[in-house]
Amino acid sequence: SPLISGRDACVRKASGGRIRSDLAVSPGQRFDAYAASLAASGGVQACALAPGDLALESRLPAPPAVRWGSGVSPDSDWDRGPSVYEFRDVCLVSLDNGREEEPNDDALRTVVSFNASDSYPKRCVTCFNPVGDNAWPWGAVRDEAWLNEVELNKLGVPATWRAEGGRRAAASGRRCGMMWTGHAAAHNLSDYVTCTEQNAIELLDRGQRPALPRGGPQAVVYVRGTTLSLAWYRGNIGHQFFDSLLPLVPFLGKYLVTRAAESDFGVRDSELFSAALALQAHGCPDDASIVCFMLRRLGVLEGRQDAAVTESHRGGALAVPVLPQPPAGVVFCHERLLVPKHRAFTSGFGAAESRLAPMLRALRQALTRAVLGEAAARAPPANLGLAKGPRRRRLLIYSHAASSRRVWLDAGEAAAHARAAGWEVRLEHDFGGLSFEQQADAFASADAIVMAHGAQAANAIYARNGTAVVELNCRRYSVLENTLVSSLGHRFALLTQCGRSESDAAENAACITCQAPVDMMSNFSFSGARLEALLANLAPDKAGEAAS
């Protein structure tokens, strides 16, 4: 049968041509059944093998070859490489550092490549790569210059492993990895397990301890075709969107642009992927991450059963399955694995002249239609013109009050001022208490948004052309400013701490009053004359009436 012949080809490939499926030692019935279910339910070709039968010779990316780069500007720092890296015949292992309080740890992964001639003693030890580091180019982790003795002391990492050699990129000639994804090497899977056990303390010190059962995995599930690896920062939809979803835009460009009836950016359907893997939350349920929610609503991932969604937005042939939870003791290995860049790669997405701008507008159109419906997708630009238009201007105010930091302390007073000035005001204190759909509606229906810096900014992808977006932060820092607002046609302003210049002394200066000690987490006030001046600026007709 096709299923048997597919399994035979899979086993032969995974074993380096040494074993036929009828001669392969079964790792166990539950593992065989899992691999078979992938083909039966999702059309994913996969096979289960005993770890000792795996015999792969890996191929790693070789920058500066570009895969799905944006083509914006070869001179820009963030656009010199691809948006997605491609690996051949590698395994992907999640990391477990035993720190449940750290929301980053479950995003960490290690790509394990196989080279039988690699004799470096610490080949399985990944370069130290903190989750918060902005090192997204493959192999560009600042392992030499940045991780000096002073920085190591700050991180609380014992410096002894440095004297032992470690996985220094220069010393070993091997690429370190990038944010969230380390790179380890081994002769085979057994060698990887042995090596990690021998270097367990150093791996733990580096925050790179692999999540492997004692004694190693019980089975390997080798997935043929192309698998996209997904990862995200747990518990923060802002980081999920900006760090994990936006880097996929160049990769999914044709899909998004075609849906919006714009131009072709040259990504062929055959270059996409046949399955997705989310080690953090197998199956990528909608409530696990806004990445899962948005990709499923866009029809990129299979699994949405909402009857209200039209067939054209289910994704058709492009929608791919997400690998479900495997039995305990499984390690996934992949014929072709795609790993997107994260975080700093998206810095600069917002330039209006960027070739990515049509893709970002297409993303807004497709998401708005899929999440809020056709009427919302066809809504006119934001109404910041005459107040006597067909409806009052709508202002969204967000205080961030559910948190103990970056709280807009007098947001209620500000809302009252805005209502008195003729605005229809929606005041929100906790976006985390709203569904993804409700959050999207709040941003899509607003003509102006004034908000504390926070994760809710991810929803700016739904804000219409012409929407005024004002971000309040006690330090001059904004992810929005560098990513979305120019491409999406928003009128953006970042208001920060008063007292930084002589002009701030004016009663109506465009600034906020921050509590000491002033940093990016400080609570602040913004109302009275300063708010009234902002509202007058957002509504030029009112300012004109006052002048006359």
Side-chain angles (χ1 to χ4, degrees):
S1 71
L3 191 60
I4 293 175
S5 64
R7 182 176 185 276
D8 185 60
C10 179
V11 170
R12 285 178 182 271
K13 179 71 168 59
S15 66
R18 298 181 297 111
I19 303 173
R20 294 202 324 256
S21 61
D22 57 336
L23 298 178
V25 176
S26 171
Q29 184 176 359
R30 68 183 186 279
F31 303 116
D32 289 332
Y34 174 80
S37 72
L38 298 180
S41 62
V44 177
Q45 291 188 33
C47 52
L49 295 90
D53 285 341
L54 186 73
L56 300 175
E57 187 72 14
S58 302
R59 282 174 284 170
L60 294 173
V66 174
R67 297 293 293 172
W68 300 293
S70 67
V72 175
S73 169
D75 297 324
S76 65
D77 288 339
W78 66 273
D79 196 43
R80 287 179 179 164
S83 64
V84 176
Y85 287 111
E86 174 185 343
F87 304 88
R88 298 293 181 111
D89 288 327
V90 296
C91 298
L92 190 66
V93 178
S94 60
L95 304 182
D96 176 15
N97 292 305
R99 301 194 298 262
E100 288 298 326
E101 73 281 1
E102 175 50 69
N104 309 326
D105 275 4
D106 61 2
L108 295 173
R109 305 156 291 175
T110 293
V111 170
V112 183
S113 63
F114 300 102
N115 182 351
S117 62
D118 192 332
S119 59
Y120 185 68
K122 294 181 181 293
R123 54 189 168 272
C124 65
V125 181
T126 55
C127 300
F128 189 83
N129 186 11
V131 173
D133 188 33
N134 288 337
W136 46 260
W138 186 256
V141 177
R142 298 185 292 277
D143 197 43
E144 296 294 322
W146 183 64
L147 288 175
N148 53 43
E149 185 176 352
V150 174
E151 294 299 331
L152 286 171
N153 289 337
K154 287 181 184 177
L155 292 169
V157 176
T160 53
W161 54 262
R162 297 301 303 161
E164 297 169 2
R167 271 297 307 274
R168 292 189 182 188
S172 66
R174 291 162 179 80
R175 302 199 178 276
C176 292
M178 61 180 179
M179 176 182 168
W180 289 349
T181 308
H183 171 217
H187 300 162
N188 50 46
L189 202 52
S190 243
D191 176 62
Y192 176 67
V193 172
T194 301
C195 183
T196 57
E197 291 173 350
Q198 292 172 344
N199 294 279
I201 294 176
E202 186 170 349
L203 284 164
L204 183 59
D205 285 345
R206 293 167 181 252
Q208 298 286 342
R209 182 177 69 181
L212 294 172
R214 186 178 295 275
Q218 297 174 264
V220 170
V221 171
Y222 182 69
V223 182
R224 300 210 67 186
T226 302
T227 305
L228 176 69
S229 173
L230 299 174
W232 53 82
Y233 185 109
R234 175 162 45 94
N236 186 302
I237 66 167
H239 280 289
Q240 290 169 9
F241 178 80
F242 292 107
D243 296 353
S244 299
L245 195 283
L246 277 191
L248 291 173
V249 169
F251 172 59
L252 297 173
K254 181 186 176 185
Y255 168 75
L256 295 172
V257 170
T258 300
R259 285 290 175 89
E262 295 201 43
S263 59
D264 185 346
F265 279 70
V267 178
R268 300 190 302 275
D269 288 351
S270 61
E271 291 180 321
L272 293 174
F273 54 103
S274 50
L277 173 64
L279 290 176
Q280 287 172 270
H282 289 285
C284 203
D286 283 1
D287 59 359
S289 165
I290 202 170
V291 175
C292 303
F293 171 82
M294 287 183 169
L295 290 180
R296 192 162 279 114
R297 287 302 181 99
L298 288 169
V300 175
L301 301 181
E302 283 184 352
R304 185 154 186 238
Q305 304 300 321
D306 189 342
V309 179
T310 64
E311 194 62 36
S312 64
H313 292 289
R314 293 189 185 276
L318 188 61
V320 301
V322 187
L323 301 182
Q325 176 79 44
V330 163
V331 164
F332 282 106
C333 300
H334 304 272
E335 182 175 40
R336 185 168 176 252
L337 180 68
L338 303 180
V339 180
K341 290 180 177 180
H342 295 97
R343 198 177 177 91
F345 174 70
T346 58
S347 178
F349 262 39
E353 68 276 8
S354 167
R355 198 172 175 216
L356 286 170
M359 295 183 186
L360 291 172
R361 291 193 291 270
L363 176 62
R364 172 174 59 188
Q365 185 76 358
L367 273 174
T368 302
R369 179 178 288 111
V371 175
L372 299 175
E374 187 65 34
R378 293 182 177 275
N383 170 34
L384 289 171
L386 295 174
K388 54 189 176 186
R391 61 171 176 78
R392 289 195 298 165
R393 287 165 296 224
R394 295 170 181 161
L395 172 63
L396 171 63
I397 290 179
Y398 180 59
S399 71
H400 207 251
S403 170
S404 60
R405 57 190 190 180
R406 296 197 300 268
V407 178
W408 183 355
L409 298 170
D410 53 354
E413 182 181 341
H417 275 289
R419 290 189 183 100
W423 291 81
E424 179 183 330
V425 178
R426 176 172 180 171
L427 173 62
E428 293 288 349
H429 299 291
D430 180 14
F431 260 85
L434 304 179
S435 68
F436 288 149
E437 291 89 349
Q438 290 170 328
Q439 294 182 47
D441 177 68
F443 274 71
S445 60
D447 299 305
I449 301 163
V450 184
M451 61 183 179
H453 174 81
Q456 80 288 337
N459 293 289
I461 188 64
Y462 298 103
R464 290 167 294 148
N465 185 48
T467 301
V469 179
V470 181
E471 190 171 8
L472 312 177
N473 194 346
C474 288
R475 285 285 186 247
R476 180 163 184 79
Y477 172 78
S478 173
V479 178
L480 275 176
E481 189 173 27
N482 296 320
T483 53
L484 295 180
V485 291
S486 294
S487 293
L488 297 182
H490 298 158
R491 293 176 54 196
F492 179 76
L494 173 62
L495 304 191
T496 188
Q497 174 195 6
C498 294
R500 289 178 169 246
S501 67
E502 292 183 7
S503 62
D504 289 347
E507 186 180 354
N508 63 347
C511 61
I512 60 179
T513 303
C514 300
Q515 291 185 335
V518 177
D519 58 29
M520 204 171 77
M521 303 302 174
S522 299
N523 298 336
F524 60 88
S525 299
F526 180 64
S527 61
R530 287 193 167 98
L531 174 71
E532 290 171 6
L534 173 68
L535 295 177
N537 185 55
L538 296 181
D541 57 293
K542 299 295 285 186
E545 291 171 10
S548 61

